[in-house]
Amino acid sequence: MAGERAELADVLDGLQPQDWDRATLCDGWRVRELVAHITLPYRMSMPRFVAGMVRAGGSFNRYADRQARRDAVELTPAQLVECLRQNINHPWKPPGGGYEGALSHDVIHGLDVTVALGIDRQVPSERLGIVFDAMRPRHAKYFGVDLTDVQLRATDLTWTYGTGTPLTGTAQDLLLVLSGRSLPPNHLSGRDADRFTAGVTR
C-alpha cells in the first residue's frame, strides 16, 4: 500500500497543470476529482462522513461524487499530492475489504489516471497478485460487469478469470475490465474487446 501510494504521488507530481482537468476512466471525474476521492479517507472524520451520507440519502456513490467535486474545487493539486504523500502509511481499510481492499482501491484508481492519460506505468506484479487473490465474483457483480461466456486471460501473468471465449490483455487492463471501466483502444484483444473499449459501439 505504501509503495503504491508513493509511486502514484510521484506520477501526479509529474503532471502538467492542464492534466488535472483531463478525464479519467471514472465516468465524470477528472484527475482532480479522482485524487480528491483517493485522499478522502485521510481527510474525513467519521462524524463528517456520517453527516455526508445522511445528506446523500444513504447512497455512498452519491456522497462520494458530491464530496470529490467539492474537494476538487477547494484543494489545489499540490495540496492533494501532499496529502497523499503524508498518508502513504495510513491504516485506512474500506468497510469489509481489509488491507487487500485498500490496496485494490489505490491500484484501480491509480490506473484510472495513468491509463486514461496514456502514462506507461506498470503496477508491480506482486501487488496485482494480492488484488487478484482477494477478488471474488461479488466484486464484478458490484461493478455491474457482464462477463457471460467471457474468460479474462492475462498476457503478462498466469491468471484467468471466468469461462468462455478469451479476452486478453495485460493483467492491470483486465483488472480495469473487472472494475467496470471502458479502456482506450488497442488495450484488449478477442471477440469481445469492443464491448470493453471506450468509444466503440457494436
Side-chain angles (χ1 to χ4, degrees), residues 1 4-5 8 38 42 102-111:
M1 289 161 51
E4 187 66 20
R5 291 170 186 167
L8 178 58
I38 292 174
Y42 319 140
L103 178 61
S104 297
H105 185 264
D106 291 334
V107 167
I108 293 168
H109 283 316
L111 290 170

Side-chain angles (χ1 to χ4, degrees), residues 36-106:
H37 173 73
I38 292 174
T39 59
L40 175 65
Y42 319 140
R43 296 181 285 102
M44 185 63 61
S45 68
M46 183 55 67
R48 287 183 62 202
F49 171 76
V50 171
M53 284 289 290
V54 170
R55 288 192 296 271
S59 168
F60 176 75
N61 287 339
R62 185 181 300 117
Y63 163 74
D65 184 65
R66 289 177 178 175
Q67 193 65 50
R69 294 178 188 279
R70 183 177 299 115
D71 292 345
V73 172
E74 296 177 354
L75 300 171
T76 67
Q79 288 174 317
L80 290 169
V81 175
E82 182 61 21
C83 180
L84 183 59
R85 285 201 185 279
Q86 292 297 322
N87 289 281
I88 61 172
N89 291 303
H90 196 284
W92 172 79
K93 296 178 288 185
Y99 287 121
E100 294 88 353
L103 178 61
S104 297
H105 185 264
D106 291 334

Side-chain angles (χ1 to χ4, degrees), residues 135-194:
M135 191 70 65
R136 299 292 182 268
R138 62 183 174 86
H139 292 101
K141 184 177 180 181
Y142 172 80
F143 288 110
V145 184
D146 181 8
L147 294 175
T148 304
D149 297 326
V150 174
Q151 182 189 63
L152 304 183
R153 184 179 297 177
T155 55
D156 55 343
L157 291 179
T158 304
W159 180 82
T160 62
Y161 184 94
T163 58
T165 303
L167 177 70
T168 61
T170 64
Q172 62 185 40
D173 284 343
L174 296 180
L175 175 60
L176 289 171
V177 170
L178 270 173
S179 303
R181 274 54 169 180
S182 294
L183 276 70
N186 304 317
H187 278 249
L188 304 169
S189 298
R191 180 196 66 188
D192 297 288
D194 288 357

